[in-house]
Amino acid sequence: MTFRAETTLAGYAGAAVDMKTRMHEYCASIDGSEYTRAFVETNWAGLAPTHGDDEAAAHHRLTDVINRASSTVWAQGEAYVLAPAMTAIVAAAAEALDLTGDLLTADAAPTDTGVLYLPEPIYHRALTGQVSGIAAITWATITSPRGRSWLICGWAHRDDPDDPHAARIQDYARQDPTLLSRLGPYVLTNLDLLPIARPVPAVAQPDIDEPDRDWESAPDGRYVIADATARTSVCAAIAYAFWRIQAQPISVAAPAPLDRPARRRAARAHVVHDTRVVMLRRTSTLTEPADGHTRWHYRVRFVVRGHWRRLIDKHGRAYRIWIHAHLKGPDDAPLLHGEKVAVLAR
């Protein structure tokens, strides 16, 4: 059961619970642990040891933290499905986000643990040029000697026919026919830490002197966020953008009904089965107030780009809201077009 063929709330709920059940079982298995260990060893070569341990012990400890957090979040985390119409909004907000130096409170996330499904994935281009789809994001709070943080994981769908990462898995499977049987429906591709009540560090951009690197292409019409231009780690940016936007009037989180057999299967697997589908709220065109005088009067309409706005709550704490791209000006005024020229050069 996948999200590709689903278009109803009930269909989304059924797919969400099915995926949660399968991923909980996978993350708690030996195969899941071995994949996480290989992921850590590949991506954290040279991990600084602590407590006098060697690098292997540091890898083992990080693997254990990821496995326990992932198994818990897939079982107990609340599930959200991002409706396809919301994907471009969240992606644009994530790409424009810069959390450097911000102090995030523990209530920035809607829940301590959660799963966000993206039936229409957002694609991530790494510094190496490789592209991977982000079809699900999980978050969980963890505690370390440095304090509390959100552990945010990005997952690609193993069988997505449009995802270059899934194509690479299929290539490996031709060499090792047992590979697919040792993977879950989602595979871990990204790992970020977002500190709580500590300044968010700047993203380190290593110098890679490869001007002739071959860049993979993402599927046509899909949103791609590149590490080379991101000011906040990509999965952390998507998660934070979703947290903020799902709490704004621009969106509505609709509870999705689940049939009785699916509820029973979830109960037997000890999996939380509540699912909410986050959709774009229907809005009406804003008009000028009937009384009083307007401060400004526009004679043309023009496009306002999407952007983050900083605000202060009643407790004096700073927070952000996303202002979605919109047209400004009277409905009957001419539309002012900007001109943009893109130059492709090698």
Side-chain angles (χ1 to χ4, degrees):
M1 193 172 188
T2 68
F3 288 97
R4 293 184 65 87
E6 304 299 339
T7 57
T8 65
L9 295 183
Y12 282 148
V17 171
D18 180 66
M19 288 297 186
K20 284 190 71 179
T21 303
R22 294 167 62 188
M23 286 301 298
H24 168 56
E25 295 172 350
Y26 168 71
C27 290
S29 69
I30 295 176
D31 288 335
S33 179
E34 289 181 348
Y35 179 91
T36 304
R37 177 176 53 79
F39 176 85
V40 169
E41 291 175 351
T42 301
N43 293 276
W44 275 274
L47 179 67
T50 57
H51 309 296
D53 295 334
D54 57 13
E55 184 177 346
H59 285 163
H60 177 78
R61 188 165 48 252
L62 180 56
T63 298
D64 184 58
V65 169
I66 296 172
N67 280 338
R68 283 189 287 108
S70 297
S71 180
T72 299
V73 73
W74 284 109
Q76 303 301 322
E78 293 194 29
Y80 300 84
V81 179
L82 190 66
M86 290 289 292
T87 302
I89 297 174
V90 171
E95 189 173 37
L97 184 64
D98 185 0
L99 290 175
T100 304
D102 281 15
L103 291 172
L104 305 182
T105 57
D107 59 358
T111 57
D112 285 343
T113 58
V115 179
L116 172 64
Y117 295 101
L118 294 95
E120 184 174 300
I122 297 173
Y123 286 83
H124 167 222
R125 178 175 281 114
L127 293 175
T128 59
Q130 288 187 328
V131 173
S132 300
I134 301 174
I137 288 179
T138 59
W139 66 88
T141 53
I142 61 172
T143 303
S144 69
R146 301 182 64 183
R148 295 182 70 202
S149 301
W150 286 291
L151 179 70
I152 302 174
C153 299
W155 306 79
H157 196 288
R158 186 194 70 186
D159 300 319
D160 185 347
D162 298 326
D163 188 352
H165 188 80
R168 290 192 290 272
I169 292 176
Q170 295 298 328
D171 289 340
Y172 295 141
R174 294 186 187 96
Q175 304 171 28
D176 180 2
T178 67
L179 176 64
L180 295 181
S181 65
R182 292 184 281 112
L183 295 177
Y186 292 115
V187 292
L188 180 65
T189 59
N190 219 288
L191 185 72
D192 293 331
L193 279 177
L194 199 56
I196 300 174
R198 302 192 314 278
V200 177
V203 174
Q205 295 287 15
D207 294 328
I208 300 180
D209 187 17
E210 295 182 34
D212 293 326
R213 184 191 300 116
D214 288 329
W215 294 81
E216 281 187 342
S217 297
D220 291 340
R222 301 300 182 88
Y223 214 103
V224 183
I225 305 178
D227 278 338
T229 56
R231 289 164 288 181
T232 297
S233 297
V234 172
C235 279
I238 295 173
Y240 182 85
F242 167 74
W243 296 344
R244 297 305 310 153
I245 290 173
Q246 63 85 32
Q248 294 181 212
I250 190 178
S251 65
V252 58
L258 189 66
D259 59 37
R260 181 176 296 178
R263 288 200 302 271
R264 289 177 174 174
R265 288 195 299 271
R268 286 196 297 269
H270 304 289
V271 169
V272 173
H273 56 72
D274 293 333
T275 302
R276 279 174 279 182
V277 179
V278 181
M279 301 177 290
L280 186 64
R281 185 187 297 272
R282 294 180 182 271
T283 58
S284 58
T285 303
L286 294 177
T287 59
E288 299 292 347
D291 55 344
H293 299 283
T294 58
R295 186 176 180 183
W296 301 103
H297 177 69
Y298 297 104
R299 295 184 179 180
V300 296
R301 286 184 301 155
F302 56 95
V303 176
V304 178
R305 294 180 59 188
H307 59 280
W308 288 98
R309 178 178 295 169
R310 291 177 177 269
L311 300 172
I312 303 295
D313 67 14
K314 63 181 181 180
H315 303 294
R317 297 177 300 192
Y319 69 102
R320 301 167 186 251
I321 61 172
W322 174 251
I323 307 299
H324 187 44
H326 60 280
L327 287 175
K328 195 164 188 177
D331 291 341
D332 57 350
L335 180 61
L336 180 65
H337 292 280
E339 293 186 358
K340 183 182 291 186
V341 178
V343 178
L344 301 181
R346 188 168 180 85

